[in-house]
Amino acid sequence: MSNLVQNFEEYSGWRKGVAQAIEQYRAWIAGSDFADGILDQRIMRLKERLIDDKLTIAFVAEFSRGKSELINAIFFADYGQRILPSSAGRTTMCPTELLYDEGMPPCIRLLPIETRSETLSTTEYKGNQHIWTVLPLDTKSGDGMLEAFKQVSLTKKVSKEIAKSYGLYDESDPDAALEVDENGLVEISQWRHAIVNFPHPLLKQGLIIVDTPGLNAIGTEPELTLNLIPNAHAVLFILAADTGVTKSDVEVWRDHIGSGPGRMVVLNKIDSMWDELRTPEEIETQIQNQITSVAHTLSLEERQVFPISAQKGLVAKINRDAPLLAKSRLPKLEYALSNELIPSKKNIIRAQLASDIQEITDGQYAVINARGRGVSEQLHELQSLRGKNQNVIEHMMKRVTLEKQEFDASLMKMQGTRSVFTRLSTEVYTTLGMDILKEEIKTAREEMESSKFSLGLKEAIKNFFTQVKQNLQASNRKTDEISEMMAIMYRKFSTEHGLALTAPMPFSLDKYMQEINAIESVFHRQFSAITLLTTEKKVLIQKFFDSISARVKQSFSQANRDVEAWQKVVMAPIEAQIREHKNQLKNRMQSIQRIHVATDSLEEKISSFEAMMTEVEAQKKSLENLRNNIHKALAADTSAI
């Protein structure tokens, strides 16, 4: 088993262990008096986020660099043959995602190229199942799967006009004439996007493999530029050892990939250098020279360049030829991939969950501690009544009654704050709501449609981004206002009534502002150099804007969900402690009233409160154990990871 496969399986086991610890905690809450619908939803979201966690690896290369062969070698060698077609020339004509969805049978879903004439992005089409062509996948037949995968690379001949309307042909491109055959037709992919639902063990555990077409397609299919490649946890940029780095390689690396975590360069086909007339040392020197050259050209460290032979690695795995596998250097790439990708992803998930669990349990600790203080104070009050006359008891009852009246008055004032909270919460959506975003998209499209020059076209998109960011900033100011108001309320109840409240849960839309800035940056990199607006360029920019708007809608949709979730939980800590404080005041009143009527019940009440104190300590210990279990599960490390 390769290091990558082993580490991924162990990572999957780690996630399951954490999910079990969270479920134990959730079950304990459900059986306690802390049970709360909003709290349960919050914990369920944590668990679902952990279970649904995905790891995406994107493979990017020009044609004939051995990209499909590398995917076969890393992931499908156990099938004893190639699963993805691999031959000279084009084998991947459209972006392809390999994943596993247990809710669907094994199949290949293909999105017709004709959908490029519409305004919807590939992501938006994923929700319209009837648009896709679905081919069954017989996972028991290697040959059958190979034939099915060949469907992904099918092409068709269309007129230049149709190719233009899809944004797939540009007459202003100096190389455009090479794409036209003797009949004046242009060869294009039959499909716009492919999704392969395949029950591979790693895919079942949450791995997603993205196989991209040639480099020129990155500019014509915005889904790659805006979504699939930027969001991939690892990007393998594949070059050929016998050709080195071309000008188009440099442009794609600089504009779409770049150095950073999980970004690696694969120098494939080193077997072309295995010359029997050279010594092993000479071959090694030649490979090292290529590594140095590639690292210098792409401005990255040499350790990020991995010379391999995917074809020899695949053959070695199938034939169980250990010396050939070592010579192919494929295990070194797999080791680096698993030791960079998986631990970094694990650390991100661990930090997020640890922070969320800490926040939730801190709120429950605060309630338990408040309960403990309340029980302790009541116990002390009751013990102080031993041997006291009725006047002392009446005085104490008046004091508790006055305290309750003051607390009730604070609650009445709080109702006014609640109404302000409701108003501000509603106002957040006046600039963050999906309806206002749809209007902004509509306005931008109308401006683009009426533009006859590149400057006007780009200005329309610039205005769109400006308005979107202004809307986010306005919503952010509203959430800041809510946070400030809640902080004042928290301090008031802490000071006046002794509630143990820390600052309310913070919230910010800054990460969505960063996402919008990143999307805008991609657009500028792609089209800033355009000065002459041809029909073809206009079509391409409009297609790109369709994907931009879809990406922004995704971002706003998630922002809406986050704001809604925050609004639900930001009141939860103070509401929980208010309920607890009200119960304590009620119990104190009832206890003193009973003692006022029948003094002989005093010792009975003291015993009752001593039992309550024991129960509080037991609750605190149970919560501590459950939180420790989650943190232990989060901190767990296997021998490999």
Side-chain angles (χ1 to χ4, degrees):
M1 180 184 293
S2 72
N3 185 267
L4 175 61
V5 175
Q6 182 179 348
N7 276 15
F8 204 95
E9 288 181 348
E10 288 167 345
Y11 173 68
S12 180
W14 171 80
R15 287 187 302 163
K16 290 177 182 176
V18 175
Q20 288 172 356
I22 292 176
E23 181 55 36
Q24 289 172 354
Y25 172 49
R26 178 172 172 250
W28 177 79
I29 291 175
S32 71
D33 55 359
F34 293 112
D36 175 82
I38 293 175
L39 178 60
D40 187 65
Q41 288 178 16
R42 191 176 178 191
I43 296 174
M44 272 302 296
R45 278 197 297 270
L46 294 183
K47 185 180 172 184
E48 288 168 0
R49 187 172 69 191
L50 184 66
I51 293 172
D52 295 338
D53 175 49
K54 305 294 183 184
L55 273 168
T56 303
I57 302 178
F59 291 75
V60 181
E62 187 53 278
F63 300 121
S64 300
R65 300 292 173 84
K67 172 170 52 65
S68 297
E69 192 79 321
L70 179 58
I71 297 174
N72 281 322
I74 294 177
F75 300 106
F76 300 112
D78 289 345
Y79 286 85
Q81 67 177 78
R82 293 183 177 92
I83 297 301
L84 297 183
S86 178
S87 59
R90 299 174 179 233
T91 56
T92 305
M93 286 294 294
C94 70
T96 303
E97 293 179 78
L98 289 88
L99 48 80
Y100 182 66
D101 179 356
E102 63 180 10
M104 297 185 67
C107 63
I108 299 179
R109 287 182 286 161
L110 301 162
L111 184 64
I113 195 66
E114 287 77 13
T115 58
R116 283 184 68 98
S117 63
E118 305 295 332
T119 59
L120 294 181
S121 70
T122 300
T123 299
E124 291 172 305
Y125 274 116
K126 288 180 179 179
N128 300 330
Q129 298 299 333
H130 66 281
I131 301 292
W132 299 70
T133 297
V134 181
L135 304 176
L137 196 61
D138 183 4
T139 58
K140 295 180 181 178
S141 169
D143 291 335
M145 284 195 294
L146 182 59
E147 285 302 313
F149 275 103
K150 286 180 179 178
Q151 301 298 312
V152 176
S153 58
L154 292 180
T155 63
K156 64 196 307 184
K157 295 288 187 73
V158 299
S159 66
K160 289 189 288 185
E161 287 68 29
I162 292 177
K164 288 178 189 177
S165 71
Y166 296 161
L168 298 176
Y169 181 75
D170 183 2
E171 286 182 335
S172 64
D173 187 338
D175 297 326
L178 300 176
E179 301 176 26
V180 184
D181 67 10
E182 63 276 8
N183 297 316
L185 300 177
V186 180
E187 183 183 26
I188 64 172
S189 172
Q190 188 168 320
W191 312 108
R192 180 179 179 183
H193 197 85
I195 300 177
V196 181
N197 192 46
F198 184 55
H200 185 283
L202 290 182
L203 302 184
K204 282 184 174 182
Q205 293 168 14
L207 178 67
I208 297 177
I209 301 168
V210 178
D211 187 9
T212 66
L215 301 182
N216 62 338
I218 291 179
T220 57
E221 182 47 75
E223 191 72 14
L224 289 170
T225 310
L226 290 168
N227 196 3
L228 294 178
I229 294 177
N231 292 333
H233 302 99
V235 177
L236 270 61
F237 188 45
I238 301 138
L239 308 173
D242 52 356
T243 59
V245 186
T246 66
K247 181 182 177 183
S248 61
D249 289 334
V250 174
E251 291 174 351
V252 170
W253 175 262
R254 183 185 63 240
D255 295 340
H256 303 296
I257 303 175
S259 57
R263 270 51 183 165
M264 303 176 182
V265 173
V266 177
L267 195 58
N268 193 21
K269 301 186 178 182
I270 60 169
D271 51 293
S272 64
M273 299 180 180
W274 296 351
D275 189 340
E276 295 179 357
L277 298 179
R278 291 194 181 103
T279 65
E281 291 75 17
E282 289 174 330
I283 294 172
E284 180 61 34
T285 299
Q286 189 178 11
I287 292 174
Q288 183 57 49
N289 289 340
Q290 278 285 54
I291 294 172
T292 302
S293 174
V294 168
H296 175 74
T297 304
L298 299 181
S299 300
L300 65 145
E301 297 181 24
E302 291 188 10
R303 64 179 182 82
Q304 290 178 268
V305 182
F306 296 88
I308 67 158
S309 171
Q311 192 270 337
K312 299 304 180 189
L314 176 61
V315 170
K317 283 187 174 183
I318 291 174
N319 294 334
R320 302 186 183 279
D321 187 338
L324 181 60
L325 182 60
K327 191 176 181 182
S328 75
R329 305 196 191 192
L330 184 63
K332 291 183 179 180
L333 172 63
E334 293 177 330
Y335 182 84
L337 191 61
S338 63
N339 281 273
E340 180 167 343
L341 170 64
I342 296 174
S344 62
K345 177 64 172 173
K346 182 181 178 183
N347 288 337
I348 292 171
I349 294 292
R350 175 190 283 151
Q352 290 175 340
L353 288 174
S355 175
D356 289 338
I357 290 295
Q358 188 73 30
E359 188 177 290
I360 293 171
T361 54
D362 280 350
Q364 291 175 318
Y365 271 118
V367 172
I368 291 177
N369 287 331
R371 181 176 298 174
R373 286 195 302 274
V375 172
S376 178
E377 288 171 4
Q378 291 179 66
L379 181 60
H380 179 72
E381 282 181 346
L382 293 172
Q383 289 171 337
S384 68
L385 293 178
R386 283 172 169 153
K388 297 294 191 295
N389 58 34
Q390 290 292 326
N391 289 334
V392 174
I393 296 173
E394 287 177 4
H395 175 73
M396 185 172 290
M397 190 163 65
K398 288 178 181 178
R399 191 181 70 190
V400 175
T401 301
L402 180 62
E403 187 177 337
K404 183 178 182 303
Q405 289 172 347
E406 291 174 349
F407 189 69
D408 288 342
S410 293
L411 292 182
M412 289 296 293
K413 293 177 183 178
M414 182 180 172
Q415 293 305 316
T417 306
R418 279 180 176 277
S419 63
V420 176
F421 175 85
T422 302
R423 175 178 59 80
L424 291 175
S425 297
T426 302
E427 289 177 0
V428 170
Y429 298 102
T430 59
T431 47
L432 191 67
M434 299 306 292
D435 288 339
I436 189 71
L437 178 60
K438 289 176 182 176
E439 284 298 316
E440 300 295 349
I441 292 171
K442 180 182 176 183
T443 299
R445 283 203 176 109
E446 290 173 350
E447 290 179 4
M448 291 172 66
E449 194 62 39
S450 62
S451 297
K452 297 181 180 179
F453 302 98
S454 62
L455 183 61
L457 202 65
K458 289 189 283 188
E459 191 68 22
I461 298 178
K462 178 183 176 183
N463 292 340
F464 169 74
F465 278 115
T466 299
Q467 190 59 54
V468 164
K469 288 188 284 188
Q470 286 177 353
N471 288 345
L472 272 177
Q473 289 168 347
S475 297
N476 221 4
R477 286 193 293 271
K478 290 296 180 183
T479 58
D480 287 345
E481 198 173 340
I482 293 172
S483 294
E484 185 177 347
M485 182 186 68
M486 293 301 299
I488 293 171
M489 187 193 301
Y490 273 47
R491 286 196 296 270
K492 175 181 173 63
F493 275 86
S494 295
T495 303
E496 295 181 2
H497 304 290
L499 272 60
L501 290 165
T502 56
M505 176 183 174
F507 183 80
S508 173
L509 291 167
D510 287 349
K511 72 173 183 178
Y512 296 106
M513 184 68 75
Q514 293 169 5
E515 285 183 13
I516 301 302
N517 285 331
I519 296 169
E520 185 178 18
S521 177
V522 170
F523 172 77
H524 286 313
R525 286 201 306 269
Q526 194 80 23
F527 297 106
S528 61
I530 293 179
T531 55
L532 179 64
L533 185 62
T534 63
T535 302
E536 297 80 9
K537 292 295 184 188
K538 184 172 183 178
V539 170
L540 184 57
I541 293 176
Q542 288 174 329
K543 296 298 175 195
F544 212 89
F545 180 75
D546 292 340
S547 287
I548 284 174
S549 61
R551 186 73 183 83
V552 172
K553 278 193 281 189
Q554 280 184 306
S555 187
F556 264 60
S557 179
Q558 185 58 53
N560 274 264
R561 288 194 292 271
D562 285 355
V563 168
E564 184 180 358
W566 173 70
Q567 289 173 348
K568 287 180 179 178
V569 302
V570 72
M571 293 285 288
I574 191 169
E575 288 179 336
Q577 290 211 38
I578 284 173
R579 285 195 301 269
E580 184 64 31
H581 195 68
K582 286 177 69 174
N583 288 334
Q584 289 176 9
L585 287 172
K586 180 181 177 182
N587 290 336
R588 287 172 68 189
M589 289 281 292
Q590 291 175 346
S591 297
I592 296 172
Q593 285 172 348
R594 290 194 186 101
I595 294 166
H596 181 60
V597 174
T599 308
D600 58 354
S601 67
L602 177 60
E603 293 304 322
E604 181 181 335
K605 293 301 295 182
I606 289 175
S607 297
S608 173
F609 273 87
E610 287 174 341
M612 288 170 63
M613 199 70 201
T614 302
E615 183 182 345
V616 168
E617 291 301 320
Q619 275 189 326
K620 188 184 295 185
K621 188 173 182 180
S622 294
L623 180 58
E624 180 69 26
N625 289 337
L626 287 161
R627 183 163 75 171
N628 286 341
N629 286 342
I630 294 175
H631 283 299
K632 284 178 182 177
L634 285 169
D637 273 313
T638 62
S639 58
I641 294 180

